[in-house]
Amino acid sequence: MDSILIRGGSPLVGEIEISGAKNSALKLMAACLLTDGPLELSRMPRLADTRFLGHLLARLGVVVEERAGAKLFMQADRLGEPFAPYDLVRKMRASFNVLGPLIARVGQARVSLPGGCAIGARPVDLHLQALEALGAEIELSEGYVNAKRRKAASRARASPSRWCRLARPSTPCWRRFWPRGRPCLRIAPESPRSPTSPAA
């Protein structure tokens, strides 16, 4: 197991530039799938997770360009097949975040179930249950999630009290971008990273 050895005893003096939060950056990167317009994110953290998600977005047809000044430009005006293969999703569980935006934008998606996690098992069934409660049809087949919008979905409600303890409600919040209906989340948690928060 890797470790970090710190030898103290000296005062710390200097300045460092703080990048944006990784989890927020990943949600915003996935959000580029919702529109065909350009999106530029600033103060982007340069991490393996953001790089892997950039590769997946490029596979989906998104133009992804790293720019000077810790900026990331994306534009999803020419999306291809809404398919996220295992060889990309397995590298980072957050790649599963593309499922909700793809359903909202294209109406359907085929996304691989993510691989393992260094901090233990974190199942995605709660994400799928939330999408089903809000009007999505979900089918699991050969390690993939096949999802699509229900045409008759108009107004849907879900109480995230059971699954909000495990994940931010970003997945069901993509439901508000569907062409029909008005979703309602009850007992939704609030945090700076949550789309349900007034600060979001």
Side-chain angles (χ1 to χ4, degrees):
M1 179 177 179
D2 294 336
S3 61
I4 299 177
L5 176 63
I6 301 177
R7 293 188 175 92
S10 301
L12 300 178
V13 179
E15 296 181 359
I16 60 172
E17 183 176 349
I18 304 299
S19 65
K22 181 200 72 171
N23 289 342
S24 297
L26 294 173
K27 300 294 190 299
L28 291 173
M29 289 178 68
C32 80
L33 295 167
L34 296 170
T35 176
D36 58 2
L39 174 64
E40 185 176 76
L41 303 179
S42 58
R43 296 180 59 200
M44 277 292 296
R46 303 301 192 193
L47 302 169
D49 284 1
T50 56
R51 185 170 66 253
F52 288 147
L53 184 55
H55 292 163
L56 176 56
L57 292 173
R59 166 65 174 75
L60 294 169
V62 180
V63 174
V64 181
E65 298 178 359
E66 289 190 2
R67 295 181 173 178
K71 294 182 179 180
L72 182 68
F73 171 85
M74 294 172 292
Q75 186 162 10
D77 56 341
R78 296 182 181 180
L79 286 182
E81 181 185 7
F83 171 63
Y86 173 74
D87 62 332
L88 289 177
V89 177
R90 70 178 176 84
K91 297 178 180 178
M92 183 191 59
R93 294 182 59 86
S95 298
F96 201 71
N97 285 316
V98 303
L99 178 63
L102 284 174
I103 299 174
R105 173 83 179 275
V106 186
Q108 60 182 346
R110 178 173 168 82
V111 177
S112 170
L113 290 169
C117 177
I119 64 173
R122 290 190 289 175
V124 299
D125 60 317
L126 301 179
H127 294 265
L128 302 181
Q129 291 172 19
L131 286 172
E132 282 186 316
L134 292 169
E137 294 181 5
I138 304 292
E139 177 186 354
L140 300 180
S141 175
E142 299 178 349
Y144 280 84
V145 176
N146 301 303
K148 63 180 180 179
R149 290 194 305 254
R150 291 197 192 107
K151 294 182 179 179
S154 56
R155 183 175 179 86
R157 292 177 177 269
S159 296
S161 56
R162 192 174 75 86
W163 41 262
C164 68
R165 294 174 291 110
L166 299 181
R168 301 297 178 189
S170 56
T171 295
C173 279
W174 301 127
R175 168 64 173 83
R176 63 184 173 185
F177 296 98
W178 291 16
R180 296 184 56 191
R182 182 181 178 186
C184 177
L185 297 183
R186 295 175 293 185
I187 326 177
E190 291 187 0
S191 78
R193 294 200 302 265
S194 171
T196 63
S197 171

